[in-house]
Amino acid sequence: MTSEAQFLEHVQSGGVVEAGDPMPDEYRALLVKFIAMHGNSELMGVLPERDWILRAPTLQRKLALTAKVQDEVGHAQLIYRVCEDLGAPREELLDDLLEGRAKFHNVFHYPTRTWGDVGVIAWLIDAAAIVSQKALLKCSYAPYARIMKKICWEESFHILHGRDVILAMMNGTDEQRELVQEAVIRWWGPIMQFHGTRMPPEKDLVLQYRIKTKDNESLRQEFLDGYVPQIRELGLEVPDPALRYDEGEGRWLYTEPDWDELRQVVSGHGPASADRLDLRRRMRDANAWVRRAVLADAA
Amino acid sequence: MIWEVFRQEREGAAFAHAGSLEAADEAFARAYAHELYGRRNESRALWLVPRGEVCTVDEFVDEFERNYRRVDGYSLKTRLREARERAGTQPE
């Protein structure tokens, strides 16, 4: 048996890999790409919420939103650290992100139009993300799995914050309720695209190496199981007439998500992609002197 | 500079490895560790160790099968039975 085949058997039978262990180049490259995309998504994912810090309806909400933004940036820090130990320096990862060579999740390419969007992001987008992240707790790459434990723990606060925002609005005026319904309609398409296309598990190398432990469709089904009832119990409508749970098939049926939109958006052509990347570039340039000063001082 | 972070969750608990962080010097490492690993009071104390200072021992070969050092080196079942039978205390 080749060492590659042995490695594959090791990870498929539950074995784990540490940073200093020998690993196939293909595995290392897949890890860096996958984990960097996650780090990028945490970093870019705060921008839709950042837009609402100054417009939050109460001081309590402003503080909670600021804390959530700090959490997500903290996750990016932890995740980029994991990439660095795999041989991908953070500055290079940021170059790749800002020059459009690396991706981040589709949902962070859209504008946040109302406070209803902020609630739906913290509630449903974070829920969809947690479903994915929980499937990483058993990742074959142990340093990533360990950091996911901390991240999932912090994300659980975010969902509560999101539900609290949503419940306050749903218990409010007709106008507030309408803002939530409009946000659910706006975000449903991107949410259904979020977990990706139904790729056959045997063709998904990320699954084969047990970097993630569940295929895209299983993750989407898990999200629908958990959250469609929560949406409907508040009297909110999901904007998909075909969406229903089929007892016979034992799964949710739904209108085919717009995969062209997904491809367009994640390749940097979403409605807010250019603005978000531009803001990140300007921030990085504006803060460059701080990094120089800190490093010079320490040297 | 990379620092390894060890976290103690509550008084009396062992410090367990929590992750790592990059910081230019000790003062920054303290501040970053505080924010990254303790801002929700989830840690009672943190240890920060420069990565280069950590030494690893990971070779544990039991060449002589020294199972007398371990609980699996002792099988008492049959001996206990024999002893009980001699004492007439073996339950039916």
Side-chain angles (χ1 to χ4, degrees):
Chain A
M1 197 155 42
T2 65
S3 61
E4 272 86 7
Q6 273 168 350
F7 182 87
L8 202 59
E9 195 183 297
H10 171 68
V11 293
Q12 283 180 350
S13 59
V16 299
V17 183
E18 292 289 345
D21 293 348
M23 62 183 94
D25 291 346
E26 182 179 60
Y27 178 72
R28 185 184 297 273
L30 278 169
L31 275 177
V32 169
K33 193 175 166 198
F34 187 90
I35 301 173
M37 149 85 162
H38 185 182
N40 295 341
S41 299
E42 298 278 3
L43 189 67
M44 297 304 288
V46 301
L47 297 181
E49 296 182 302
R50 173 191 179 275
D51 288 349
W52 280 86
I53 292 176
L54 292 177
R55 291 182 280 176
T58 66
L59 179 59
Q60 180 68 23
R61 294 289 189 221
K62 190 197 295 276
L63 291 170
L65 196 57
T66 310
K68 182 174 185 307
V69 165
Q70 186 190 10
D71 283 351
E72 312 287 16
V73 173
H75 296 170
Q77 303 264 16
L78 298 170
I79 293 167
Y80 285 145
R81 235 355 338 283
V82 174
C83 286
E84 288 190 306
D85 285 346
L86 284 165
R90 181 161 55 181
E91 291 302 310
E92 268 177 35
L93 296 174
L94 289 173
D95 287 343
D96 286 347
L97 171 65
L98 299 182
E99 285 160 32
R101 290 189 296 271
K103 289 178 177 163
F104 57 100
H105 269 308
N106 70 318
V107 286
F108 305 125
H109 291 260
Y110 293 86
T112 25
R113 298 196 192 284
T114 71
W115 183 247
D117 290 13
V118 178
V120 166
I121 288 173
W123 179 35
L124 297 180
I125 303 279
D126 275 38
I130 289 186
V131 168
S132 297
Q133 290 175 342
K134 279 194 174 153
L136 299 171
L137 290 170
K138 296 209 169 104
C139 175
S140 58
Y141 189 59
Y144 188 40
R146 286 195 289 269
I147 226 64
M148 288 316 299
K149 242 169 93 179
K150 174 174 162 60
I151 291 177
C152 286
W153 179 69
E154 291 185 357
E155 292 288 354
S156 58
F157 295 98
H158 301 171
I159 292 208
L160 283 180
H161 155 78
R163 287 193 79 178
D164 197 59
V165 168
I166 294 292
L167 289 177
M169 294 179 85
M170 291 309 287
N171 290 336
T173 62
D174 287 349
E175 203 183 348
Q176 284 175 297
R177 294 165 62 90
E178 192 51 36
L179 283 180
V180 177
Q181 180 63 71
E182 283 169 7
V184 171
I185 292 171
R186 251 196 305 281
W187 289 92
W188 191 253
I191 286 174
M192 289 300 286
Q193 297 158 18
F194 179 81
H195 291 109
T197 55
R198 283 182 294 267
M199 196 189 287
E202 62 278 10
K203 284 195 179 160
D204 192 344
L205 274 177
V206 175
L207 264 179
Q208 290 302 311
Y209 277 117
R210 212 168 51 78
I211 292 171
K212 63 178 185 186
T213 53
K214 286 181 186 163
D215 65 273
N216 295 350
E217 181 60 15
S218 303
L219 295 170
R220 187 166 25 247
Q221 290 289 330
E222 201 177 307
F223 168 76
L224 293 170
D225 267 343
Y227 285 85
V228 172
Q230 281 195 34
I231 297 170
R232 288 180 171 162
E233 75 179 358
L234 299 181
L236 291 163
E237 265 179 57
V238 176
D240 178 0
L243 181 75
R244 67 179 179 88
Y245 187 76
D246 188 294
E247 294 286 348
E249 290 196 42
R251 64 184 198 95
W252 290 87
L253 305 178
Y254 50 80
T255 304
E256 192 65 17
D258 186 345
W259 302 124
D260 283 337
E261 177 180 333
L262 177 66
R263 273 185 285 271
Q264 280 289 312
V265 162
V266 293
S267 59
H269 303 94
S273 317
D275 284 351
R276 297 255 162 84
L277 286 170
D278 189 48
L279 178 68
R280 269 277 167 253
R281 272 190 287 270
R282 279 187 284 131
M283 290 296 172
R284 196 181 183 206
D285 291 346
N287 298 333
W289 70 270
V290 179
R291 287 191 297 278
R292 275 198 302 274
V294 166
L295 292 173
D297 200 44
Chain B
M1 186 172 178
I2 308 296
W3 301 70
E4 296 296 344
V5 181
F6 297 79
R7 188 168 81 82
Q8 188 190 36
E9 207 163 288
R10 51 186 183 279
E11 193 175 6
F15 281 74
H17 186 243
S20 61
L21 56 86
E22 185 179 3
D25 60 20
E26 190 184 309
F28 277 107
R30 282 172 182 274
Y32 293 163
H34 190 274
E35 285 303 296
L36 277 172
Y37 291 97
R39 70 180 174 281
R40 285 205 169 80
N41 295 333
E42 71 269 40
S43 305
R44 193 179 165 276
L46 300 172
W47 284 347
L48 303 178
V49 185
R51 178 172 277 182
E53 301 294 316
V54 175
C55 54
T56 305
V57 178
D58 60 3
E59 292 275 319
F60 298 96
V61 183
D62 186 6
E63 290 154 314
F64 302 109
E65 290 184 34
R66 290 180 289 192
N67 64 359
Y68 53 83
R69 289 178 186 271
R70 304 189 304 262
V71 289
D72 67 348
Y74 298 87
S75 162
L76 304 186
K77 208 175 159 189
T78 41
R79 282 200 189 92
L80 183 60
R81 190 186 175 88
E82 193 186 329
R84 280 173 175 164
E85 277 167 4
R86 289 179 70 162
T89 60
Q90 174 69 18
E92 291 308 313

